[in-house]
Amino acid sequence: MSLENHTIFFYILIGLMTIGVLQSLFIGFLFFFKGSGERRANAFYGLLLITIGLTLLHNIFMLTDFYKAYPQFNFLPIYYTLAFPTLLFYYVKLTLYPAYKFRLSDVKHFILPGGQLLFFLVTFSKSIEARSQVDRYFYNPFYGGFEQFLYLAGFFAYMYFAYRYIRRRRKQIKDKKHIKAIRYLNKLLQILFLLFFVHAFMVVSDFVSFEFFQIDLRHSKIFAGLGIFSFVAVVYWLSIYGFQVLFWGRKVFRK
């Protein structure tokens, strides 16, 4: 899909993606000024919305061939797939356990996100000619086939860990206000799991069809559009949840 031979559906998709970018960045920014709840948890969710919004912006640039038209922006550090799982996990954990203090063992959770950021920063600092030689190699853990595996597997794994914390906390507390907060978190993960499962299915289907059957499904506008929309749906849900928490759910997440 590109700007050539575009249809009305292409513009609709770009419009939906643009709205997703704007709302996730705006709501994510507001989380840094949220007065209720645990401040570190708010910061993690704000970062989650901002990073996923920037990654969606990266997808817009790829879809519209922006990087081809303006190679000076190629490898702009706005791609943060490996940060999503960690940011989501710590948002849930710190919301449930606001007294938790970070330990040295927590560093391991930030190695992949930090490595991905460093990869893009270093690559973007190179000349345009040098950047043109860098591609999405399969074994690249920060931007390639293996990165996609780490991204999908990590997201499911951290959602599972977050859900275990929710179940454990539910058994520990009896206060109605805190139970309601747990229900918010539980609903966040339930809907997110369904949406992300669809997104993962689209990504895996594309990989399997190409690697094992030499069929590039991305040449199909319908499949490419559905694959992109599956990620857009994840962005929209995270933004909708954030909006709920910022406004009518803010009393639920008081300290």
Side-chain angles (χ1 to χ4, degrees):
M1 297 179 70
S2 67
L3 289 178
E4 298 178 359
N5 302 320
H6 53 270
T7 65
I8 185 63
F9 299 105
F10 177 84
Y11 285 116
I12 291 174
L13 180 60
I14 294 297
L16 291 173
M17 295 173 74
T18 302
I19 293 172
V21 171
L22 294 176
Q23 69 177 3
S24 60
L25 293 181
F26 178 67
I27 297 174
F29 178 75
L30 290 181
F31 260 83
F32 288 93
F33 301 93
K34 187 173 179 290
S36 60
E38 213 284 333
R39 290 188 178 276
R40 295 174 300 168
N42 294 340
F44 272 104
Y45 200 79
L47 282 173
L48 173 60
L49 287 177
I50 290 172
T51 53
I52 204 168
L54 290 175
T55 302
L56 183 57
L57 179 62
H58 167 87
N59 291 342
I60 293 176
F61 288 164
M62 293 290 291
L63 191 62
T64 58
D65 290 333
F66 175 83
Y67 290 128
K68 291 182 180 179
Y70 303 96
Q72 65 269 29
F73 294 107
N74 199 18
F75 286 96
L76 189 69
I78 57 172
Y79 186 77
Y80 300 106
T81 54
L82 300 182
F84 306 157
T86 300
L87 295 173
L88 174 67
F89 172 72
Y90 275 100
Y91 164 69
V92 174
K93 184 174 182 177
L94 291 171
T95 300
L96 294 172
Y97 298 95
Y100 180 80
K101 297 187 183 299
F102 285 102
R103 307 165 186 170
L104 187 60
S105 59
D106 289 300
V107 173
K108 63 180 180 290
H109 299 288
F110 299 91
I111 293 176
L112 286 176
Q116 187 175 48
L117 174 61
L118 185 62
F119 169 78
F120 274 87
L121 288 174
V122 171
T123 306
F124 187 67
S125 66
K126 297 180 179 179
S127 65
I128 296 177
E129 182 179 357
R131 274 181 274 167
S132 66
Q133 305 301 316
V134 182
D135 201 356
R136 295 199 69 169
Y137 300 115
F138 179 81
Y139 291 105
N140 187 333
F142 306 123
Y143 193 56
F146 190 52
E147 167 258 321
Q148 286 289 288
F149 168 77
L150 293 174
Y151 158 54
L152 297 178
F155 211 119
F156 281 118
Y158 276 91
M159 276 196 292
Y160 170 72
F161 296 146
Y163 180 68
R164 287 188 60 183
Y165 272 111
I166 290 175
R167 289 188 59 187
R168 181 191 303 174
R169 194 61 171 155
R170 183 187 295 161
K171 295 177 181 179
Q172 294 174 340
I173 63 176
K174 303 297 180 182
D175 183 81
K176 290 184 178 180
K177 185 184 71 173
H178 289 93
I179 291 177
K180 193 172 183 179
I182 289 177
R183 288 174 181 169
Y184 263 78
L185 294 173
N186 195 51
K187 183 62 66 176
L188 165 66
L189 292 184
Q190 284 180 340
I191 296 179
L192 183 59
F193 175 82
L194 293 175
L195 294 175
F196 195 79
F197 180 83
V198 174
H199 172 59
F201 175 79
M202 300 300 291
V203 174
V204 173
S205 297
D206 178 38
F207 173 79
V208 172
S209 64
F210 183 77
E211 293 295 330
F212 295 95
F213 302 102
Q214 286 73 53
I215 301 175
D216 192 351
L217 293 176
R218 284 171 292 185
H219 286 166
S220 169
K221 292 184 177 181
I222 295 177
F223 181 86
L226 290 175
I228 295 168
F229 187 74
S230 68
F231 181 67
V232 174
V234 172
V235 177
Y236 269 69
W237 168 239
L238 290 174
S239 298
I240 290 171
Y241 171 85
F243 180 83
Q244 291 177 331
V245 171
L246 279 173
F247 293 95
W248 57 78
R250 65 183 183 277
K251 294 181 180 179
V252 177
F253 289 91
R254 285 178 177 173
K255 289 185 179 180

